[in-house]
């Protein structure tokens, strides 16, 4: 069975068009005029839209993996042809599973992976209030990193917990937004 694949640039153009439409709509969000607030309702959507536009442009101009691989192979052949006799370093052990020729998740059929990730998002939403923002976000980050093949679990736990805690403090203390605390005392 032949899977249809978009080229990297086609995907970048489609994402860019979606990002521009999203950003235009974000700039249409009305601002509060009766009350002076540090962050307006449209601030986050505008920032996300602009970030998505920048990332789409970066994706468009990024060299495709296939070209990088061909270029690396040519360089390797040139070095061998010169007879330098240098020992090449070992291949990267930490390369993602997709780069090693496997799938990125835990299933051989990659069509199941989006369903599992969607289920993880639903579980995150269901646990958001009972466990609180910090715990549920940390579990979500660690779980999805494990599912996608990241093997350094302590790094996932530290990054997930650190980012969740930083976001919680920024939102609750900096922006005065009430987030669920769950069993944590703060």
């Amino acid at each position: 069975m032949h899977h249809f694949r978009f080229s990297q640039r086609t995907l970048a153009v489609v994402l860019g068009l979606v990002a521009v439409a999203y950003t235009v709509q974000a700039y249409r969000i009305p601002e509060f005029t009766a009350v002076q607030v540090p962050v307006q309702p449209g601030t986050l959507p505008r920032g996300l839209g602009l970030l998505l536009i920048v990332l789409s442009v970066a994706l468009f101009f990024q060299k495709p993996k296939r070209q990088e691989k061909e270029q690396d192979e040519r360089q390797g052949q040139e070095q061998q042809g010169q007879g330098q006799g240098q020992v090449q370093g070992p291949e990267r052990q930490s390369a993602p599973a997709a780069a090693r020729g496997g799938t990125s998740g835990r299933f051989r059929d990659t069509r199941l992976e989006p369903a599992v990730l969607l289920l993880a998002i639903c579980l995150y939403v269901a646990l958001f209030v009972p466990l609180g923002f910090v715990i549920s976000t940390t579990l979500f980050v660690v779980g999805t990193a494990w599912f996608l093949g990241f093997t350094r679990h302590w790094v996932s736990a530290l990054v997930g917990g650190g980012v969740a805690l930083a976001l919680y403090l920024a939102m609750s203390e900096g922006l005065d937004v009430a987030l669920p605390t769950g069993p944590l005392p703060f």
Side-chain angles (χ1 to χ4, degrees), residues 15-26:
L15 284 175
L17 291 173
V18 169
V20 167
Y22 175 84
T23 306
V24 166
Q25 291 301 319

Side-chain angles (χ1 to χ4, degrees), residues 11-115:
L11 183 63
V13 168
V14 169
L15 284 175
L17 291 173
V18 169
V20 167
Y22 175 84
T23 306
V24 166
Q25 291 301 319
Y27 275 97
R28 290 185 172 178
I29 296 174
E31 296 189 7
F32 290 137
T33 56
V35 180
Q36 191 68 1
V37 291
V39 178
Q40 294 293 329
T43 303
L44 182 64
R46 291 173 189 155
L48 289 175
L50 294 173
L51 178 65
L52 187 56
I53 290 171
V54 168
L55 291 175
S56 299
V57 170
L59 180 63
F60 185 83
F61 289 111
Q62 182 181 18
K63 189 186 303 184
K65 294 284 184 190
R66 186 176 33 215
Q67 285 180 343
E68 288 178 9
K69 187 176 180 181
E70 291 171 359
Q71 186 178 9
D72 290 343
E73 288 174 0
R74 276 185 265 139
Q75 288 176 350
Q77 290 172 354
E78 288 174 5
Q79 287 178 355
Q80 288 177 356
Q82 293 173 355
Q84 294 177 358
Q86 295 176 351
V87 177
Q88 299 292 325
E91 291 184 26
R92 282 195 233 168
Q93 298 282 333
S94 62
R100 293 188 307 257
T103 61
S104 62
R106 301 286 175 185
F107 300 113
R108 289 180 188 242
D109 187 4
T110 57
R111 294 175 291 183
L112 295 175
E113 291 177 11

Side-chain angles (χ1 to χ4, degrees), residues 80-177:
Q80 288 177 356
Q82 293 173 355
Q84 294 177 358
Q86 295 176 351
V87 177
Q88 299 292 325
E91 291 184 26
R92 282 195 233 168
Q93 298 282 333
S94 62
R100 293 188 307 257
T103 61
S104 62
R106 301 286 175 185
F107 300 113
R108 289 180 188 242
D109 187 4
T110 57
R111 294 175 291 183
L112 295 175
E113 291 177 11
V116 171
L117 292 173
L118 182 63
L119 180 67
I121 291 170
C122 292
L123 187 63
Y124 172 66
V125 170
L127 296 175
F128 192 74
V129 173
L131 292 181
F133 177 79
V134 175
I135 295 174
S136 61
T137 303
T138 303
L139 290 174
F140 178 74
V141 169
V142 171
T144 53
W146 170 81
F147 177 74
L148 293 173
F150 192 73
T151 57
R152 296 181 183 156
H153 305 300
W154 62 274
V155 172
S156 296
L158 286 175
V159 169
V163 168
L165 188 60
L167 284 173
Y168 178 81
L169 291 174
M171 296 291 283
S172 64
E173 301 300 321
L175 299 176
D176 204 25
V177 173

